[in-house]
Amino acid sequence: MHNSAIQEVVRTYMLAWNETDADQRYQLLTRCWGADAVYVDPSVQLFGRDALADRISIVQSKRPGSRLEFVSGIDTHHSMVRFLWRVARADGSFGDTSIDFGEVGAGGRLEKMVGFFGAPPSIPLI
């Protein structure tokens, strides 16, 4: 799969996170998210498209009017991706910059996404 195709899959994934209509969100996820794909972030571990669709709905209900936005390009190599994003809140403020790492499967959909929230930890002083 070419890098441009992988980048399009990731853009569709981000569109799904911002789509408020459940049916349209699921259609987007069908295009970009594997049926048995794994999603992991500090607060949850999910398996499958239905579980991710439900999680997006829960997150949206806790942050009405907020959107996720890219704060970097989409970096790709082989079948791997990474990108930075943040929450743009309804009041115009922003959340911390976070990073996601993902893998696109042979079928052209994301099969794994691992998210880290906020800045990385500081190096401890010795």
Side-chain angles (χ1 to χ4, degrees):
M1 196 170 185
H2 292 286
N3 288 347
S4 60
I6 292 173
Q7 290 172 353
E8 184 59 30
V9 166
V10 173
R11 283 190 287 273
T12 302
Y13 169 76
M14 187 69 90
L15 287 172
W17 272 95
N18 289 326
E19 178 55 59
T20 57
D21 180 270
D23 292 333
Q24 290 189 24
R25 181 184 320 119
Y26 200 82
Q27 288 177 17
L28 289 167
L29 288 174
T30 299
R31 290 178 22 211
C32 70
W33 192 255
D36 298 319
V38 177
Y39 174 88
V40 180
D41 72 27
S43 62
V44 70
Q45 182 173 10
L46 306 170
F47 301 92
R49 189 177 296 136
D50 292 342
L52 181 59
D54 291 344
R55 179 65 181 174
I56 293 171
S57 180
I58 290 167
V59 169
Q60 288 180 350
S61 71
K62 292 179 180 178
R63 298 188 302 223
S66 294
R67 299 182 55 76
L68 301 186
E69 63 181 29
F70 289 107
V71 293
S72 76
I74 302 165
D75 193 16
T76 64
H77 69 78
H78 301 87
S79 61
M80 307 304 291
V81 301
R82 74 172 171 165
F83 57 93
L84 300 170
W85 59 273
R86 68 181 175 189
V87 174
R89 297 183 188 105
D91 67 4
S93 65
F94 299 102
D96 289 337
T97 297
S98 299
I99 189 168
D100 280 6
F101 298 91
E103 184 171 6
V104 176
R109 293 181 178 92
L110 289 161
E111 293 298 331
K112 182 177 239 181
M113 189 64 71
V114 179
F116 290 84
F117 300 156
S122 300
I123 297 172
L125 298 175
I126 299 177

